Amino acid sequence: MAPEVRREPPPFMQIADHFRQKIMDGVMLPDTKLPSIAEIAREWGVATATAAKGIKQLQAEGYVRSSTQGTFVDLGIKQTTGPDRLQMMRVGGTGFRPGERVEIISAELTPAPPDVAEALGVPEGQAAVRRQRRYLDNDGVVTLSTSWLPGEFAESAPELISVEPLPKMTFGLIEERTGRRAVRRRDVVSLRPVPERDAALLAVEPGTYALTMANHYWDQNGAVTEYATDFLGVGRELTAEYDVS
């Protein structure tokens, strides 16, 4: 059955969503060639410029590569950040790329240290949820991620302080249980030394400088829902691609 264009979202995003989902489901494996722009435009009944914009969206997200030979699925060893996982979850219902898996290192209620208290907007020492996970794929460690959330979330979602897998990603669980939807974020990228307690998990020496990303999330009422820090695995890189108007 031929795909049909819906009114929302825009046609180019529907095209990107369609192929992204096939890639995330493992239907289209790495090095699989996508249809040509002309073929996509004809199949979807859109202009070639619209089809090309859909493919550019996939390129910007790191799902495909394009050359004179065509466009191919290529996830490489792209870093999957918290914002990536949030977008992936909302688009496709999962925050994992094909081949990725997660290890839950710890999950607990613990006093918020000064930097976390400031980020969450709570008094220093107030109980906060701390969850640490290690994401891996076939190339090794993708990222070591530590999330801090307001302590009251543990009342609505006690799974947050269990090392068992969550029924859905943190973003979705909080939204489902509390109605607080993450609608705004700030990302801060920096080089930081890897703490001794985390070095073995990243397979590096303590004190080794690693690329990090800190993410702040706010809900629809302007309140902080999560503060997360990611240490990128060895060989990972952050990339971004934009259309310049």
Side-chain angles (χ1 to χ4, degrees), residues 8-118:
E8 295 291 342
F12 85 90
M13 187 58 75
Q14 293 179 43
I15 292 169
D17 291 350
H18 173 77
F19 287 107
R20 186 193 302 106
Q21 190 62 56
K22 284 182 174 293
I23 294 169
M24 290 168 59
D25 288 344
V27 176
M28 299 184 73
L29 300 174
D31 294 325
T32 299
K33 187 175 182 179
L34 275 67
S36 68
I37 296 297
E39 290 171 331
I40 294 172
R42 184 167 56 252
E43 183 179 14
W44 285 78
V46 298
T48 54
T50 299
K53 190 173 182 181
I55 296 302
K56 283 185 178 180
Q57 179 68 28
L58 292 172
Q59 287 178 303
E61 295 175 11
Y63 287 94
V64 301
R65 70 178 189 277
S66 293
S67 69
T68 56
Q69 305 301 313
T71 299
F72 299 84
V73 176
D74 184 7
L75 299 177
I77 56 171
K78 179 182 182 294
Q79 164 67 9
T80 311
T81 64
D84 291 330
R85 297 188 190 282
L86 175 59
Q87 177 64 19
M88 289 160 61
M89 184 197 74
R90 288 181 174 168
V91 170
T94 177
F96 296 92
R97 296 184 185 279
E100 281 189 336
R101 60 192 186 279
V102 63
E103 295 176 347
I104 303 171
I105 307 301
S106 62
E108 60 186 342
L109 270 175
T110 188
D115 60 325
V116 171
E118 181 179 3

Side-chain angles (χ1 to χ4, degrees), residues 191-194 205 207-211:
L191 279 172
R192 293 173 53 189
V194 176
E205 292 295 323
T208 300
Y209 275 82
L211 191 61

Side-chain angles (χ1 to χ4, degrees), residues 107-109 128-131 154 157-164 166:
E108 60 186 342
L109 270 175
V129 173
R130 181 182 185 273
R131 288 183 62 84
E159 298 96 327
L160 291 171
I161 52 175
S162 167
V163 293
E164 296 300 314
L166 296 178

